[in-house]
Amino acid sequence: MAFIFELPKEINDVLSLIINELGNLLNGVNMPPNLRESAMHYIHNKGKMIRPLLTLITTHTLGGNLMDAVNPAIAVELVHVATLLQDDIIDGHLMRRGSETPFKRYGTEYTILASDLLIAKAIEYSLKSKTRRITMELTSAALRLAIGQSYELEYKLNGKVDMNIYMRIIENKTASLISAAIVLGGYVADADSNTINLLRSLGEKLGAAYQIRDDIIDYLNLDKDNPKGLRSVDVNVIDALKAEGFSDPLKEAYRLFMGYMSEARAITASIRGGEVFAGIIDFLQDPLTKLIEGNKNQV
Amino acid sequence: MAFIFELPKEINDVLSLIINELGNLLNGVNMPPNLRESAMHYIHNKGKMIRPLLTLITTHTLGGNLMDAVNPAIAVELVHVATLLQDDIIDGHLMRRGSETPFKRYGTEYTILASDLLIAKAIEYSLKSKTRRITMELTSAALRLAIGQSYELEYKLNGKVDMNIYMRIIENKTASLISAAIVLGGYVADADSNTINLLRSLGEKLGAAYQIRDDIIDYLNLDKDNPKGLRSVDVNVIDALKAEGFSDPLKEAYRLFMGYMSEARAITASIRGGEVFAGIIDFLQDPLTKLIEGNKNQV
């Protein structure tokens, strides 16, 4: 979900500003170097910035002031980075994004504390935003992230997977923060409560679809950027569908993905400026459809 | 610092209400049992509730409405409990408050996630309070807690201690949250910014004094409730003072403690209703003074 496709210049400019602000996050704060380095690792070695971009795109689409989205967008990215640090510890990841993880390099202790630091900074940025509801939205997402991660832990410890546990994991672990990122944009743009609810549902559908898509791509071993398959959740939809007895789990996974896409598309129809989101849906859907067409003989 | 001494009935009533609310913290939220048990462990097996009591006492002293202090007091206790969970992991504590620690019983992973959950709930409660500054105060304390813990980690890893590192640890790890607890009460009571600043300084002095007192009691091995000496920080002021070359470090520690007490007392003189805080200072100071008098020959 790299939004390299024709982002309006205003959004790119604000994104650069956010990246710059993030780079200076801990300037002027005294702390042991190991704590600073762990906390800054995924900020220097940044990902696709999907969540802040979703906040910016939503703000822009709904006619909000992009500058008001800076603090919420920083906050949502910081929550995401904090979860990466914890994910490394919990899953014992030694490498991510092509380099040694902070957990591996600095140890569990500094990495836990770095995650605390980032969560505190996330709250701090969110509180500088125009409404308290932005902090509330992020807090609810953080709660669900912890629950989602612990369901994934349950799965890993007892090895059993079914669609029920799979859905609990991805709804809480992936969809929660994607959804929050979009809702934050709604708050920045002073969207009414009906629109906020639509944005939240849209985010939940997009988040689930995004995770299933990621699973399919991983299953087909087609992720060139991430050949070792380090993924946002360790449980794959294909395994869950196999466990449920589906004879063609890839087809079923794609059907599931398309179901979420279609629900998401239906929601966008009720949102002012929803065609922007429809564009994101196409962007997610079209390459996967081609992939599935080209891999029909794989299963 | 057990505030069993003549607490006004209103405060005891509100404290019972807080304990009851904390007991129901995760009701109605679906999550794996191990996550729930880790998160609830130190709520069921509760401590002296020093921090929420400080919030209530401050609110009451400054003429605020005690019911408005409920959410901030819950929030400050939840931050404290989250730090206990992390402290267990970082220091490898197997026992605390007379029973097996959540880290030992449920493992590092669930305990990290439980701490995330509690921090999210803390923010949630703080956001229900009357002003956003309550969440800001707690967030700044959380940031300092992470920094304090990481300085303690530095000390443990390289073994060197001096008064500079000792003060960095206790200011950030102990005094920060004690101070925040008191400041929250000030916000609840709509205190003016001058009073808030006085409360913050008072909290910093009391917090540092409390830690030094704890260190002295531990050093003299006189804590009957905690004979194994599981303490809020692992570095003792006596060792730090020895490293600085003091020939009578106990006397010097006591002198340091009395210095903070005297600074705290001076601050209370400028706070309306400050005699309540002066009572807390006496409560901390008098038994220690007797202890030191009775142990003059120990060093």
Side-chain angles (χ1 to χ4, degrees):
Chain A
M1 193 146 91
F3 289 106
I4 314 304
F5 69 114
E6 296 163 70
L7 275 178
K9 183 176 178 306
E10 310 89 281
I11 291 188
N12 272 322
D13 287 350
V14 174
L15 187 66
S16 303
L17 196 148
I18 287 171
I19 291 167
N20 188 49
E21 173 86 14
L22 280 169
N24 297 325
L25 186 75
L26 301 176
N27 287 3
V29 189
N30 281 322
M31 67 187 73
N34 283 347
L35 180 64
R36 185 186 303 274
E37 306 276 315
S38 315
M40 293 302 289
H41 179 87
Y42 289 121
I43 292 169
H44 293 315
N45 190 0
K46 71 182 168 56
K48 297 173 199 152
M49 304 289 283
I50 290 169
R51 292 155 195 82
L53 269 170
L54 284 173
T55 304
L56 298 181
I57 289 171
T58 307
T59 300
H60 192 255
T61 300
L62 301 181
N65 181 345
L66 274 177
M67 287 310 290
D68 290 341
V70 169
N71 290 325
I74 289 174
V76 74
E77 181 65 9
L78 289 177
V79 171
H80 174 59
V81 170
T83 68
L84 295 183
L85 291 176
Q86 294 193 9
D87 206 59
D88 290 343
I89 295 171
I90 291 174
D91 297 339
H93 295 311
L94 306 181
M95 299 284 290
R96 189 194 288 267
R97 294 181 186 168
S99 70
E100 212 179 27
T101 57
F103 150 73
K104 169 71 168 41
R105 192 174 298 170
Y106 306 107
T108 304
E109 293 83 353
Y110 286 110
T111 311
I112 292 175
L113 296 170
S115 126
D116 289 340
L117 202 75
L118 294 175
I119 291 169
K121 292 301 283 185
I123 303 297
E124 200 177 289
Y125 276 100
S126 76
L127 286 169
K128 290 188 216 163
S129 313
K130 59 201 295 187
T131 159
R132 218 192 271 223
R133 287 174 298 184
I134 286 176
T135 312
M136 284 194 188
E137 191 70 26
L138 274 178
T139 306
S140 308
L143 197 90
R144 289 177 62 196
L145 283 163
I147 292 174
Q149 176 81 59
S150 74
Y151 276 121
E152 191 177 10
L153 197 53
E154 293 273 294
Y155 147 72
K156 281 195 279 192
L157 294 179
N158 67 36
K160 268 192 283 184
V161 64
D162 56 31
M163 280 308 286
N164 182 34
I165 188 105
Y166 176 81
M167 288 313 302
R168 278 199 199 180
I169 295 169
I170 77 165
E171 280 167 8
N172 288 301
K173 206 182 153 182
T174 312
S176 60
L177 201 57
I178 297 271
S179 179
I182 294 176
V183 168
L184 297 195
Y187 283 130
V188 172
D190 293 322
D192 57 47
S193 64
N194 180 45
T195 304
I196 292 291
N197 289 337
L198 290 169
L199 292 172
R200 191 173 287 120
S201 303
L202 174 67
E204 299 287 343
K205 306 300 175 196
L206 275 180
Y210 177 54
Q211 187 61 59
I212 293 168
R213 178 179 181 274
D214 203 25
D215 282 15
I216 293 174
I217 291 174
D218 184 70
Y219 177 76
L220 295 175
N221 204 14
L222 289 166
D223 186 354
K224 282 168 197 149
D225 292 340
N226 191 18
K228 283 187 194 158
L230 176 59
R231 303 172 50 259
S232 46
V233 298
D234 269 5
V235 40
N236 195 303
V237 68
I238 307 286
D239 296 325
L241 288 166
K242 270 185 194 159
E244 297 281 353
F246 284 94
S247 60
D248 191 345
L250 179 61
K251 188 176 161 197
E252 184 59 24
Y254 179 65
R255 202 193 59 76
L256 207 62
F257 167 79
M258 289 299 283
Y260 280 113
M261 291 278 93
S262 133
E263 287 183 78
R265 209 177 290 274
I267 296 167
T268 63
S270 313
I271 302 174
R272 173 170 58 92
E275 57 278 9
V276 175
F277 297 110
I280 294 174
I281 293 172
D282 292 340
F283 180 77
L284 282 173
Q285 187 178 306
D286 297 348
L288 191 69
T289 301
K290 286 202 190 79
L291 255 173
I292 294 288
E293 296 293 322
N295 280 277
K296 266 192 174 156
N297 51 351
Q298 282 240 5
V299 185
Chain B
M1 194 146 89
F3 289 106
I4 315 302
F5 69 115
E6 296 163 70
L7 275 177
K9 184 177 178 305
E10 310 90 280
I11 291 188
N12 271 321
D13 289 350
V14 174
L15 186 66
S16 303
L17 196 149
I18 287 171
I19 291 168
N20 188 50
E21 173 86 15
L22 281 169
N24 298 324
L25 186 76
L26 302 176
N27 287 2
V29 189
N30 282 323
M31 66 186 74
N34 284 347
L35 180 64
R36 185 186 302 274
E37 306 275 316
S38 316
M40 292 303 288
H41 179 86
Y42 288 120
I43 292 169
H44 293 314
N45 191 359
K46 70 181 170 56
K48 297 174 198 149
M49 304 289 284
I50 291 168
R51 292 155 194 82
L53 270 169
L54 284 173
T55 304
L56 298 181
I57 290 170
T58 307
T59 300
H60 192 254
T61 301
L62 300 181
N65 181 346
L66 275 177
M67 289 308 292
D68 290 342
V70 169
N71 290 325
I74 289 174
V76 74
E77 182 64 9
L78 289 176
V79 171
H80 174 58
V81 171
T83 67
L84 294 183
L85 291 175
Q86 295 193 7
D87 205 58
D88 290 343
I89 296 171
I90 291 174
D91 296 339
H93 294 311
L94 306 182
M95 299 285 288
R96 188 194 287 267
R97 296 182 186 168
S99 70
E100 212 180 28
T101 56
F103 149 73
K104 169 70 169 40
R105 192 174 297 171
Y106 307 106
T108 305
E109 294 84 351
Y110 286 109
T111 310
I112 293 175
L113 296 169
S115 126
D116 289 341
L117 203 73
L118 294 175
I119 291 168
K121 292 301 282 186
I123 303 298
E124 202 177 289
Y125 276 100
S126 77
L127 286 169
K128 290 187 216 163
S129 313
K130 60 200 297 185
T131 158
R132 217 191 271 223
R133 286 174 298 182
I134 286 176
T135 311
M136 284 193 187
E137 191 71 26
L138 274 178
T139 306
S140 309
L143 196 91
R144 288 177 61 197
L145 282 163
I147 292 173
Q149 177 80 60
S150 75
Y151 275 120
E152 191 177 9
L153 197 54
E154 294 272 293
Y155 147 72
K156 282 195 281 192
L157 295 179
N158 67 35
K160 268 191 282 185
V161 63
D162 56 31
M163 281 307 287
N164 182 34
I165 187 106
Y166 176 82
M167 288 312 303
R168 278 199 199 180
I169 294 170
I170 77 165
E171 280 166 7
N172 287 302
K173 205 182 154 181
T174 311
S176 59
L177 201 58
I178 298 272
S179 179
I182 294 175
V183 168
L184 297 195
Y187 283 130
V188 172
D190 294 322
D192 57 48
S193 65
N194 180 45
T195 304
I196 292 291
N197 289 337
L198 289 169
L199 292 172
R200 191 173 286 119
S201 303
L202 174 65
E204 300 286 343
K205 307 298 175 197
L206 275 180
Y210 178 55
Q211 187 61 58
I212 293 167
R213 180 180 180 273
D214 203 26
D215 282 14
I216 292 174
I217 290 174
D218 183 70
Y219 176 75
L220 294 175
N221 203 16
L222 288 166
D223 185 354
K224 282 167 198 150
D225 294 340
N226 190 17
K228 284 186 192 156
L230 175 59
R231 302 172 51 260
S232 46
V233 299
D234 269 5
V235 41
N236 195 304
V237 67
I238 307 285
D239 297 325
L241 289 167
K242 269 185 195 158
E244 296 281 353
F246 284 94
S247 59
D248 191 346
L250 179 61
K251 189 178 160 195
E252 183 60 23
Y254 179 65
R255 203 193 59 76
L256 208 59
F257 167 78
M258 289 299 283
Y260 280 114
M261 290 278 93
S262 136
E263 286 184 79
R265 209 178 290 275
I267 296 167
T268 65
S270 313
I271 302 175
R272 174 170 57 91
E275 57 277 11
V276 175
F277 296 111
I280 295 174
I281 293 171
D282 291 340
F283 180 78
L284 282 174
Q285 187 177 306
D286 297 348
L288 191 69
T289 301
K290 286 203 190 78
L291 255 173
I292 294 287
E293 294 294 322
N295 281 278
K296 265 191 173 154
N297 50 351
Q298 283 239 5
V299 184

